[in-house]
Amino acid sequence: MSTLSRLLSLSPKLLVQIVSYLPFKDIISCEASCRHLSGVVKNSFLLKYLKEAGRTGVYDPIDPGFTVPERLEKLHSWEKSWENLDIPDTSTRIAFDLDLWSPLIGSLHNGHLIVTDADPVAYAYFDISSLPNALALRSIERGNTLVKNGALHAFAFADEYDLVVIVSTGKLATTENLSYGLDPQPPTILLNVHMLTLSKSTVHPLAKNPHLDISLKSRFILGCTLDAQLRRSPPDTYFPQVTFLSEDTLILVQREGNALELCQITIGDTLSLETHCVLVLPALQQGISCVMVECQGDQIVALHDIRLRSHRLPFMSDPTATVLCFTLGFRQVVGGFDYLRSVSFWVRRSSLYEYATRGGNRTYSWDAWGPSVTRWTDWEHGLAPCRPGGSRSALFPLLIEVGIGNPIVVRDFHPERVRRAIARSKGSSWNENRLKVVTESSKIEKGDEFLNDIVSSLPYCEVTSEKRYGYHEVLIDDERVVGITVRVSPISKT
């Protein structure tokens, strides 16, 4: 008896259990392979749901708590809510007591709303997933001041482990001469690394000490304790921006090379950083250089570490389809005023990771890698991208119309949702005024900064809310749209 014959001789119930472990595209392939398997798939509510979940771009580990019909109903309701962007009114307000003039950074992940304050280094945390739809004003005092004399360098958290890691820079000093063929007496930066519980700011069980002091010389892009430096580089080789593609693969942004450098942390006798490839960004005009690079996106979570926290949904957006948003800043002087001109582009993490796995330390020109896998936007058009949530990214006007506010715009770069939207756009019930699919290329024209036009064509769906809001920033995750408004509280005089 052949392997296929033995497989088909199994009971339908056992076949359903086996096929349910396959990716949704393989389930579709099984359905099309023969009449017997086609009947097994079509007669299984579970397999039909898994196909629908895959086409909608969500991941469901099939944990207990919801029946298959309940999962399907919630999936359709969730999809419709995002397509309509119908944000219900709520009286829930959360006030963070933070200094207005300090750099304010907000993030939303799995219902955790976190606002960090850079000077002094502190953060405020709230689990909004536990909030009802209507609640009186909740006030959160600024979190524990973690570093009194220093600046925030990096902030990362893993709500799956109630863990927050905060890296801050201390005072600069000088060290003895080191003959590396570089400048003598390079400055030394003291990094304070804190490993704390996210919810209580107490010492995390994973940390042996509440914080760890590490001295790094400026020529080292990354380092760790003792003498194990990952890489030795001249000063100003890279921007102070490190983004992880996976647990051991990261992105460095070259200053002079104007490129993304994809590297892997390798473990041998010593730790090292191996360059897999270099992706060159669009060419700049002669004498022009980027002065600021920022990258935002959801943090990497391996599938085996995912813990669904939602009380309402049995699924989450596919964690392998997240996007990163890079923002490049250029200094301009217009009419005697100095200002920062910004452009941004989105790229799927998986696209970058594919180049990283090719290895070979190859350099790819912009035309060879960039136009088809990125989507660029110019802030001078009036819309600024907010921090992405999964494969979605909200945009909000830089100027708020007084009295009436502005609509919220959300772009979704998930490939399955784009394909699904393209198919549905051909139907008679399609509402193009609310939801549109963009597959054609867009262009940022060459000018003071860029040598050539930037053409990009990463497809996306875009939905615009009917209502208008007076928010200064918008954060999103799978279930929520959170608007942030900065208000000035009166200062009491004594």
Side-chain angles (χ1 to χ4, degrees), residues 88-316:
D89 291 329
T90 174
S91 59
T92 302
R93 291 177 55 207
I94 305 171
F96 290 93
D97 179 19
L98 294 170
D99 182 3
L100 175 64
W101 303 113
S102 64
L104 196 63
I105 303 171
S107 60
L108 181 66
H109 181 67
N110 278 348
H112 289 138
L113 177 62
I114 300 174
V115 176
T116 59
D117 199 0
D119 186 16
V121 179
Y123 75 95
Y125 156 91
F126 195 74
D127 184 358
I128 63 174
S129 65
S130 61
L131 291 176
N133 290 331
L135 188 71
L137 176 67
R138 296 288 296 269
S139 179
I140 303 176
E141 298 297 329
R142 181 163 57 195
N144 295 335
T145 299
L146 303 174
V147 179
K148 294 182 179 179
N149 296 314
L152 182 65
H153 181 72
F155 180 93
F157 63 92
D159 51 12
E160 296 84 2
Y161 302 105
D162 192 27
L163 170 66
V164 60
V165 178
I166 298 173
V167 181
S168 61
T169 55
K171 296 181 178 180
L172 298 179
T174 57
T175 59
E176 69 281 4
N177 279 321
L178 296 175
S179 56
Y180 292 132
L182 301 171
D183 58 303
Q185 295 184 332
T188 295
I189 302 174
L190 183 65
L191 295 184
N192 301 301
V193 182
H194 305 258
M195 297 181 66
L196 306 170
T197 58
L198 177 63
S199 56
K200 298 180 180 179
S201 299
T202 56
V203 179
H204 197 279
L206 293 177
K208 296 180 180 179
N209 300 297
H211 74 275
L212 177 66
D213 292 337
I214 303 175
S215 295
L216 298 180
K217 297 174 179 59
S218 64
R219 59 170 55 99
F220 299 124
I221 181 64
L222 291 173
C224 51
T225 56
L226 302 179
D227 296 324
Q229 283 82 23
L230 292 180
R231 171 164 296 182
R232 182 181 302 146
S233 304
D236 298 327
T237 300
Y238 302 99
F239 283 96
Q241 171 72 56
V242 177
T243 303
F244 278 84
L245 289 177
S246 67
E247 294 176 344
D248 61 354
T249 306
L250 51 87
I251 309 171
L252 305 178
V253 185
Q254 297 179 358
R255 283 183 180 269
E256 295 299 326
N258 186 39
L260 307 180
E261 186 174 334
L262 311 186
C263 308
Q264 183 178 26
I265 301 173
T266 58
I267 302 176
D269 294 336
T270 59
L271 292 176
S272 62
L273 198 62
E274 177 184 350
T275 298
H276 279 291
C277 69
V278 175
L279 306 179
V280 179
L281 295 173
L284 302 177
Q285 295 282 6
Q286 185 174 4
I288 296 297
S289 61
C290 184
V291 298
M292 180 276 292
V293 173
E294 182 183 49
C295 178
Q296 292 185 320
D298 270 355
Q299 298 175 158
I300 287 292
V301 180
L303 284 177
H304 59 268
D305 284 334
I306 290 177
R307 293 174 174 84
L308 297 181
R309 299 187 63 259
S310 174
H311 305 295
R312 297 179 293 178
L313 299 179
F315 51 79
M316 64 179 295

Side-chain angles (χ1 to χ4, degrees), residues 438-450:
V438 180
T439 56
E440 65 273 11
S441 298
S442 58
K443 181 173 68 174
I444 294 180
E445 295 185 353
K446 62 182 179 181
D448 294 335
E449 292 81 24
F450 294 102

